[in-house]
Every structure is written in C-alpha cells, then in structure tokens.
C-alpha cells in the first residue's frame, strides 16, 4: 500500500507517494489551471480540483500502481489568502484572484483597514493587514458581486475545498484559518468585532484542525479508478510553507528555515506566542505550526522576484550569467551607490530603487549590492525572530530552487556568517504531506517514520 501527498500550488499541482516501507516515489505534476477576467488572473477551485483528481488517477495507475492500494491522503495548498466563496451545496461561486494580482481599487473601509493593521489587532492574530487577505477579498466580493455574496455559505481555502471533495467535511488547518485575520491565533476563537465589520460569521469558516488530524474518510467515489485499502483517512496538511517546514524539521530537527520561491520566506519554530511591537514594525507573521501547541514565525521578502528582475535588467534574463558574475567578479567600490528594497507586496516595477550611480559601475556591482541589501535585511529579521523564539540562529536549513544555486547560497553564507544547510528534497511539500498521511496510519514509536533516503543536504562552508 502507499500514501499520497498532494501539493496544490499556484504554479503546479503535484503528487508524491510514500510506500508503507517509507520508499518515496517519483513526483507527478501538471500546471495549475488559471482563468482570466478583465486582464487579471484567477484560480477556479472547481477547475483546480478537476485537474488534481485527474493527476491523482494517472499517478495511481502508473507510478504508484506496483505498490497496491491507496491507504491515506494529505493535502497541502497555497495560503488562505486565496480563498473562494462556496454556496450551501458546496459549489464554488467565484474564482480567486491570484495572490500576485491586485484589484483596480480597494474596497475595504479605511477605518477597518487601519484597525486590521494596528498593533492591537496584531497581538490577537499575529499578522499585519495586507491587500491580498480575506478582509479585502470579501469586501471586493460584496462590492462587485453582491448577489454572489448573499449566496455565500462558506469561505474556503483551496486545501479545504479539496478535502471537502474527498470527504464531504469542511475542515481547515489552523494555520490557514488564522491567516484570515478573523480569529485569535492562540485560542482559535472568532474575533466578533472584525467579523461584524466584514459581514462574515464563524459558521462561514471550516472547522479548524491541527496538522496530522484526520479530517474524514475518503469517499469511495471521490477518486474514480484509484484502488483503496479499506477506509482511507484524509489527513490535515494545510499551508504549503508549514507542511514543507515540517518535513525539513522531521528530517534533521531544524527550527530555523529559509525557503525561496517567488518570495523568500524565513521561518522560526517557537514554543511561545508573544508578539512584540518590534515584530509588528518588521512585519513578522505568526501562525500555528505543525505541532498542536507550537507556533511558526515567518517573514517574506520578494527575493526570487528581485533576482528575476536583476537578470532581466542586466543579463537579458540569463540567470547563469548573473550568478557567474556574482561568484567570479570581486566587488568594486559602491561609490555612493544606494539600493532601497520594497516590501513583500510590491509589484515587479516597484521592487527596488537605485541611486548614486557612478560612471564605470558594472552590472555585477549592482547585483551584488542589491543582494547584500537583501541579506542584511533578512539577517536583521532572522535575529529578531530567533530572539523572540528564545533560540540562537546557529544554523539555517535552506529549501527552494534558488538555494540550489551554489553562488546564491555562498553569497548568503558570506553575508550571514552562520552555517547553512541546503536541503535538496525535490518536492518538499508533497513529500512531507505524504509522510503526514503515513504517520496517521503507521505511527512510529520514535515519532519519525523510516526513511529509505534521508533528505539530501549539503553544508555551505565559510567563504
């Protein structure tokens, strides 16, 4: 028998199987479908689920077929920031605006936005207000599609939607639920004042569950053509970043992690929730972790988008040329060069500003100076996060495609001056989800399932 991890991402839908012996099967993937309206990109929950179920069926009939019947499923997905309105029959009413897109105008009342971004609200929810979150999205729907809002019975993230399609139950990982800014992070109790302002009720949100909790049994007709090993549990995974961090933690015990995709997301596991004003000023997120009584501090920097922008501006989009220059050309004097970085929600056009340009300045100098600024900013945030968690940043586990570039990891090592371990698990989200499903059926007394291959890693030594 085998166990399935599903990763519903904004770019790809992915599947990974893990056998009962712990063997990791090759991944399956397809592009995440999108739809366009008025020049904007959306994700349609019905279409995403249709493509996901087709991918699972193909995976079961090919890659996983020699390993027998499916014995457990776990779903991870992109953040609750992308959620969809669902009617009383469980049908999605309207697609979700892709997280990197912005509506033409703000719909949320200014006083409500100010309250959501206040330190007082941050102390309850652990997050500052951002335009892509549930408050603005529900306000947009009320303003532009009032008839759909009147028919909305539930506000569900994409992982919750998939779990409902498989089990008939509406559940959500606690870390997803609290990203709505409508719940107290520590108690998971609804924040009644905010909900009244947003015209939502507690019943419009799925039941919160912790990572690893069983959401329900897989319905026999939910995944047509997939052989099932009796009653198959569908297990809570939740936010893809949390699920991936769980996988890295279980492989090596890391409590400080740095994942780079489009954004660079720093994460520090903590046993306490005590948001401070300095954390609010820096925009440090707090969420529930993979442990029922644990928390995860997080901070996003648009590093991936910045590297892409620098490659486009100075190297005709050639990443190899950019990284060769970063590694081989010694830094020249900045001669007053100054680079300012924007926040995580900036558009591609507003990611950075450059001043103090001097004759003879090379593209490599601009790239190095910009990446120096990124490294210095993230180190400041990392130190703050570790101090709040009560730990020392003695080592950082790195995941994501950009960290597989030796030049990028070496630059960060030189700037940070602490050990960095590059973890090269090909699909950390889907694989970790599959292991979570396996744990629910075959728990290991030591708390860690047997691994046929430990997470491959390499240490980036001092430069």
């Amino acid at each position: 028998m085998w166990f399935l991890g599903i990763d519903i991402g904004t770019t790809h839908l992915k599947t990974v199987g893990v056998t009962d012996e712990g063997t990791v099967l090759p991944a399956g993937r397809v592009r995440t479908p999108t739809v366009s309206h008025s020049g904007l990109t959306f994700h349609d929950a019905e279409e995403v689920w249709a493509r996901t179920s087709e991918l699972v069926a193909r995976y079961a009939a090919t890659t996983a077929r020699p390993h027998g019947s499916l014995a457990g499923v776990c779903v991870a997905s992109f953040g609750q920031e992308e959620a969809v309105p669902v009617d009383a029959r469980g049908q999605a009413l309207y697609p979700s605006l892709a997280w990197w897109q912005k509506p033409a105008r703000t719909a949320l009342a200014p006083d409500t936005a100010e309250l959501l971004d206040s330190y007082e609200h941050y102390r309850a929810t652990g997050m500052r207000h951002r335009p892509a979150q549930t408050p603005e999205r529900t306000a947009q729907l009320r303003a532009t599609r009032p008839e759909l809002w009147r028919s909305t019975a539930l506000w569900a993230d994409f992982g919750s939607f998939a779990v409902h399609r498989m089990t008939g139950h509406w559940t959500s990982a606690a870390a997803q639920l609290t990203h709505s800014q409508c719940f107290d992070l520590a108690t998971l109790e609804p924040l009644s004042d905010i909900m009244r302002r947003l015209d939502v009720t507690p019943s419009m949100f799925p039941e919160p569950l912790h990572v690893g909790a069983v959401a329900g049994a897989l319905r026999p007709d939910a995944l047509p053509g997939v052989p099932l090993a009796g009653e198959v549990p569908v297990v809570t995974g939740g936010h893809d970043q949390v699920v991936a961090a769980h996988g890295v933690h279980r492989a090596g015990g890391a409590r400080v992690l740095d994942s780079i995709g489009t954004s660079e997301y720093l994460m520090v596991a903590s046993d306490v929730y005590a948001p401070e004003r300095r954390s609010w000023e820096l925009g440090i997120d707090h969420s529930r972790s993979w442990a029922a009584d644990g928390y995860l501090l997080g901070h996003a920097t648009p590093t991936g988008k910045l590297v892409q922008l620098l490659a486009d501006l100075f190297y005709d989009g050639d990443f190899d040329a950019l990284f060769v220059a970063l590694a081989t050309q010694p830094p020249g004097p900045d001669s007053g060069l100054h680079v300012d970085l924007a926040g995580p929600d900036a558009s591609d056009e507003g990611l950075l500003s450059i001043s103090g340009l001097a004759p003879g300045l090379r593209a490599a100098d601009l790239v190095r100076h910009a990446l120096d600024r990124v490294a210095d900013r993230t180190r400041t945030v990392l130190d703050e996060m570790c101090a709040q968690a009560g730990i020392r940043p003695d080592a950082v586990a790195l995941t994501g495609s950009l960290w597989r570039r030796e030049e990028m990891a070496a630059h960060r090592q030189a700037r940070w001056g602490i050990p960095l371990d590059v973890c090269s698990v090909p699909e950390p989200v889907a694989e970790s989800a599959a292991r979570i499903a396996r744990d629910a059926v075959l728990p290991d007394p030591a708390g860690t399932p047997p691994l046929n291959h430990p997470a491959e890693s390499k240490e980036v030594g001092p430069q």
Side-chain angles (χ1 to χ4, degrees):
M1 60 184 178
W2 61 286
F3 301 87
L4 173 66
I6 298 173
D7 174 12
I8 299 175
T10 54
T11 304
H12 287 95
L13 309 173
K14 303 171 187 177
T15 52
V16 167
V18 173
T19 70
D20 52 346
E21 297 91 358
T23 300
V24 180
L25 307 180
R29 65 164 62 191
V30 295
R31 293 284 296 187
T32 304
T34 60
V35 294
S36 296
H37 291 294
S38 304
L40 296 174
T41 301
F42 292 77
H43 291 117
D44 184 283
E46 301 285 359
E47 184 69 14
V48 167
W49 170 246
R51 299 289 81 75
T52 300
S53 60
E54 291 170 0
L55 174 63
V56 172
R58 286 198 302 273
Y59 192 82
T62 55
T63 304
R65 183 176 181 179
H67 304 282
S69 302
L70 177 64
V73 184
C74 179
V75 183
S77 67
F78 47 77
Q80 198 269 352
E81 287 75 7
E82 281 204 47
V84 292
V86 177
D87 66 16
R89 300 173 302 151
Q91 300 298 308
L93 295 170
Y94 198 72
S96 170
L97 183 66
W99 66 266
W100 62 86
Q101 302 270 251
K102 292 184 179 179
R105 59 184 61 85
T106 299
L108 199 64
D111 60 334
T112 300
E114 182 178 359
L115 172 60
L116 289 164
D117 203 38
S118 67
Y119 177 55
E120 289 70 28
H121 188 69
Y122 179 81
R123 291 175 64 188
T125 64
M127 295 191 68
R128 294 196 67 166
H129 173 61
R130 299 190 187 102
Q133 292 168 327
T134 281
E136 176 63 32
R137 288 175 179 261
T138 55
Q140 289 284 340
L141 197 61
R142 289 196 303 275
T144 61
R145 297 290 191 277
E147 73 288 355
L148 293 184
W149 182 250
R150 288 191 292 270
S151 299
T152 299
L154 207 80
W155 187 251
D157 64 82
F158 277 66
S160 296
F161 191 86
V163 169
H164 179 263
R165 282 290 190 267
M166 288 189 282
T167 68
H169 302 301
W170 285 109
T171 64
S172 176
Q176 294 280 38
L177 191 74
T178 57
H179 272 226
S180 69
Q181 287 204 303
C182 292
F183 291 83
D184 185 284
L185 180 61
T187 66
L188 300 182
E189 291 295 319
L191 299 172
S192 55
D193 179 46
I194 290 297
M195 287 195 174
R196 281 195 298 270
R197 286 172 176 260
L198 301 179
D199 189 29
V200 300
T201 64
S203 64
M204 294 177 69
F205 294 89
E207 175 191 2
L209 295 177
H210 294 293
V211 174
V214 175
L218 182 68
R219 297 189 303 189
D221 60 345
L223 297 173
V226 179
L228 306 182
E231 185 172 286
V232 175
V234 177
V235 184
T236 304
H239 198 295
D240 51 10
Q241 290 167 338
V242 175
V243 171
H246 179 29
V248 175
H249 172 79
R250 72 191 294 162
R255 293 188 63 186
V256 183
L257 307 99
D258 193 351
S259 174
I260 282 190
T262 304
S263 288
E264 175 179 359
Y265 200 69
L266 280 169
M267 292 169 279
V268 175
S270 177
D271 298 326
V272 297
Y273 175 58
E276 300 173 355
R277 183 170 289 274
R278 175 62 174 160
S279 300
W280 173 73
E281 293 169 351
L282 290 171
I284 294 172
D285 297 334
H286 298 71
S287 69
R288 291 301 191 104
S289 75
W290 52 84
D293 56 352
Y295 299 91
L296 199 63
L297 282 67
H299 184 273
T301 302
T303 306
K305 290 202 297 184
L306 178 64
V307 171
Q308 178 69 67
L309 177 63
L310 293 170
D312 291 342
L313 287 174
F314 302 118
Y315 297 97
D316 295 324
D318 188 343
F319 272 67
D320 289 335
L322 181 151
F323 284 117
V324 166
L326 179 68
T328 60
Q329 294 189 28
D334 60 33
S335 304
L337 176 66
H338 189 72
V339 177
D340 280 323
L341 304 177
D345 297 316
S347 66
D348 290 352
E349 294 79 11
L351 280 175
L352 80 165
S353 61
I354 303 172
S355 59
L357 294 173
L361 199 65
R362 303 167 304 176
D365 296 325
L366 287 165
V367 168
R368 182 181 296 276
H369 200 70
L371 295 181
D372 284 352
R373 291 279 289 123
V374 170
D376 294 346
R377 174 192 281 187
T378 51
R379 179 59 195 264
T380 297
V381 174
L382 176 62
D383 288 342
E384 181 70 28
M385 292 163 68
C386 288
Q388 187 168 318
I391 62 176
R392 292 172 56 85
D394 294 328
V396 181
L398 306 180
T399 64
S401 57
L402 265 185
W403 291 131
R404 295 174 196 160
R405 297 292 316 218
E406 293 183 1
E407 308 93 336
M408 184 73 180
H411 172 269
R412 185 60 63 89
Q413 167 67 60
R415 204 73 187 175
W416 277 8
I418 55 178
L420 307 178
D421 290 322
V422 180
C423 304
S424 56
V425 173
E427 299 295 346
V429 177
E431 181 176 326
S432 180
R435 294 193 183 282
I436 290 169
R438 183 177 178 275
D439 283 354
V441 177
L442 301 173
D444 182 76
T448 304
L451 303 179
N452 77 298
H453 68 82
E456 297 177 6
S457 67
K458 58 182 178 179
E459 183 172 331
V460 182
Q463 304 299 305

